[in-house]
Amino acid sequence: MTASSRPVRWGILATGKIAHSFARDLRLVPGTELVAVGSRREESARRFAAEYDVPHAHGSYADLVADPDVEVVYVASPHALHLEHARLAFEAGKHVVCEKPLTLSRAEGEEMVRLAHEHDRFLMEAMWTATHPVVRRLVAEVHAGRFGTPHQLHAELGFRVDVPPQDRMLNPDLGGGALLDMGVYPLTFAHLLLGEATELRGVATLSPAGIDLDVAITGRYPGGALATMGASMTSWSSRTASLATDLGRLVVEDFHHPATARFVPYDEDGPGEPVVLSGAEPVIGRGYGNEAAEAARCIREGLRESPLVPHHQTLTLLGQLDDLRAQIGVSYPGA
Ligand SMILES: NC(=O)c1ccc[n+]([C@@H]2O[C@H](COP(=O)([O-])OP(=O)(O)OC[C@H]3O[C@@H](n4cnc5c(N)ncnc54)[C@H](OP(=O)(O)O)[C@@H]3O)[C@@H](O)[C@H]2O)c1
C-alpha cells in the first residue's frame, strides 16, 4: 500500500450530537478509518467507541490528540471551544476538521488559520453545505448562467429549540444563538451562489441572557442580487431556499439536507416543465460523509486547505457574522 492509498485515520474530539452523526457517516466513506475518540469523561468515550467500533477511547482531549494512530482530529465541541481544541490538535501535529462556525469571531478564525500554517497542517471548517453534491451542482450551474440572472435569493433555517439555559444553543459562554448555529447556513448558501455580500443588515429577538433566538437578515450581492435570510430557535421554518432569476425560479426544499433541487422556468404563459437537478456524485449518508471524503482527499494529496471550503471563504463568513452580531447587539465573553 502506498502512502497516498493508506486510509486517512480520524480521531473524534467530543461525543455530543454532531459527533454521532459524523461517526455514522464516516463509516460509509471509502479510504477512511475512525481510530479514536476523546471525551472529557472516559465513560462517554468508551460508550461512543463501543457504538461505532472505535479501537481507542480516551478520557481526555489531550490523550486523543497525543494518540499516534490519529492523523486528523474532527473537533465537535461547542463553538466557543473550537480554537482551544484545534490548537491542542495542531500542537500535537494533527490535521484538523473543525465544526462550524469555525470560531466565535473572525479574529479567532484568523488565529486558527495562523496555527494551521505555523504547524503546516490541513485545516477545514466542517461547512458541509459547501461539499454537498447538490449544492455544488447548483453553484456550478448558477455561475455558468444556466438559470439566467439571479435577482432574489431566500433561505431560512430554524427549528424550535427546547433545552435548558446552560445548553450550548442558549448559553452565551458557549457561543449560543441562532445566527452562529443556523444563520451561517443561509449566509453560506448565498455566498456560494451569489458571491461576497457587499452589504448585510440584521434584526433579531434576543433571549434574557442576550443571545439571538430569531434573526432576519437582508443582503446585497455582486451583480445587484438581493437576499433575505433567516434563522430561528423558536419556530419551525420551511428550511427552503429559492433563487428567482429573470428566467424562472430555482427551489431547494430542505436546503440543509437536499436530495435534489428543481428549476421551474417561467414566461408570460406561466411555469414551464421543471428541471430536476441532482449532484454529480452520490450524497454519502446525511451529507457529512461528503465533507469527510473531501477532507480525506485533500489530506492524501498533501493540501493544506480545501478548494471547496477555502480559509478565505470561512474567514469572510466569520466577518459577516461579526458584523451582524454587532448590529443585533450580541457579544460573547472574550470574543
Ligand atoms: N454540521 C452540522 O450539521 C452541525 C450540527 C450540529 C452541530 N454542529 C456544530 O458542532 C458543534 C457541537 O454541536 P453539538 O450539537 O454536537 O453539541 P452538543 O451535543 O452539546 O455536544 C458538544 C460536546 O462538546 C463537548 N464539550 C466540551 N466542553 C464542553 C462544555 N464546556 N460544555 C458542553 N459540551 C462540551 C462534550 O463532549 P464530551 O462530553 O464528550 O467531552 C459535548 O458532548 C457546534 O459547534 C455546532 O455548531 C454542526
Side-chain angles (χ1 to χ4, degrees):
M1 194 181 285
T2 62
S4 61
S5 67
R6 266 190 302 116
V8 169
R9 300 179 314 278
W10 293 78
I12 292 186
L13 184 153
T15 57
K17 288 184 284 299
I18 193 63
H20 282 271
S21 306
F22 186 80
R24 273 192 291 273
D25 275 14
L26 194 58
R27 294 201 281 206
L28 308 172
V29 182
T32 60
E33 255 176 47
L34 177 52
V35 296
V37 59
S39 170
R40 297 167 299 172
R41 288 160 298 128
E42 189 149 358
E43 174 48 29
S44 185
R46 285 226 188 92
R47 239 182 295 122
F48 192 98
E51 192 170 345
Y52 301 102
D53 236 346
V54 187
H56 307 291
H58 299 287
S60 77
Y61 300 153
D63 286 350
L64 171 78
V65 302
D67 185 330
D69 269 359
V70 172
E71 203 175 355
V72 51
V73 173
Y74 165 68
V75 174
S77 50
H79 346 312
L81 305 168
H82 288 175
L83 178 57
E84 176 189 333
H85 294 153
R87 187 192 304 274
L88 268 183
F90 286 133
E91 287 176 351
K94 311 300 185 188
H95 303 295
V96 170
V97 172
C98 179
E99 259 312 332
K100 46 52 61 176
L102 191 74
T103 49
L104 288 185
S105 66
R106 180 172 173 130
E108 278 195 353
E110 284 171 352
E111 175 59 7
M112 199 189 287
V113 169
R114 192 195 66 73
L115 286 165
H117 288 154
E118 180 187 324
H119 294 277
D120 191 21
R121 298 291 82 185
F122 175 78
L123 168 64
M124 181 176 111
E125 183 189 47
M127 181 39 78
W128 59 294
T129 302
T131 61
H132 194 289
V134 174
V135 175
R136 288 174 65 185
R137 168 96 188 266
L138 296 183
V139 171
E141 303 271 20
V142 167
H143 289 189
R146 168 142 183 240
F147 308 121
T149 305
H151 286 285
Q152 294 264 351
L153 181 145
H154 179 74
E156 60 178 31
L157 187 61
F159 48 91
R160 188 173 152 180
V161 174
D162 283 317
V163 292
Q166 62 275 18
D167 187 275
R168 72 153 188 96
M169 297 288 280
L170 298 178
N171 184 346
D173 293 339
L174 295 177
L179 178 66
L180 265 61
D181 192 72
M182 303 165 179
V184 65
Y185 289 110
L187 284 165
T188 297
F189 188 77
H191 181 90
L192 292 171
L193 261 60
L194 302 176
E196 184 172 339
T198 53
E199 191 182 346
L200 287 169
R201 298 280 166 90
V203 289
T205 304
L206 304 192
S207 74
I211 58 94
D212 51 303
L213 296 170
D214 278 275
V215 59
I217 304 163
T218 53
R220 187 187 299 283
Y221 287 82
L226 302 179
T228 56
M229 296 161 278
S232 175
M233 295 206 292
T234 63
S235 54
W236 299 102
S237 88
S238 72
R239 296 177 161 218
T240 299
S242 61
L243 179 65
T245 76
D246 53 341
L247 301 183
R249 195 171 64 249
L250 192 59
V251 182
V252 197
E253 312 281 0
D254 193 359
F255 85 99
H256 200 43
H257 287 281
T260 55
R262 68 179 191 280
F263 180 69
V264 186
Y266 272 78
D267 61 22
E268 309 77 57
D269 300 328
E273 195 58 38
V275 180
V276 176
L277 299 145
S278 43
E281 296 160 13
V283 177
I284 306 176
R286 292 278 285 155
Y288 306 113
N290 299 85
E291 108 195 329
E294 169 62 5
R297 178 190 73 79
C298 293
I299 289 168
R300 275 297 164 262
E301 290 181 11
L303 304 183
R304 293 301 182 241
E305 60 184 304
S306 158
L308 296 180
V309 197
H311 296 164
H312 73 80
Q313 181 172 297
T314 303
L315 294 177
T316 295
L317 267 297
L318 286 173
Q320 295 181 355
L321 296 173
D322 283 355
D323 177 20
L324 288 163
R325 273 199 305 119
Q327 291 181 39
I328 64 178
V330 171
S331 59
Y332 297 113

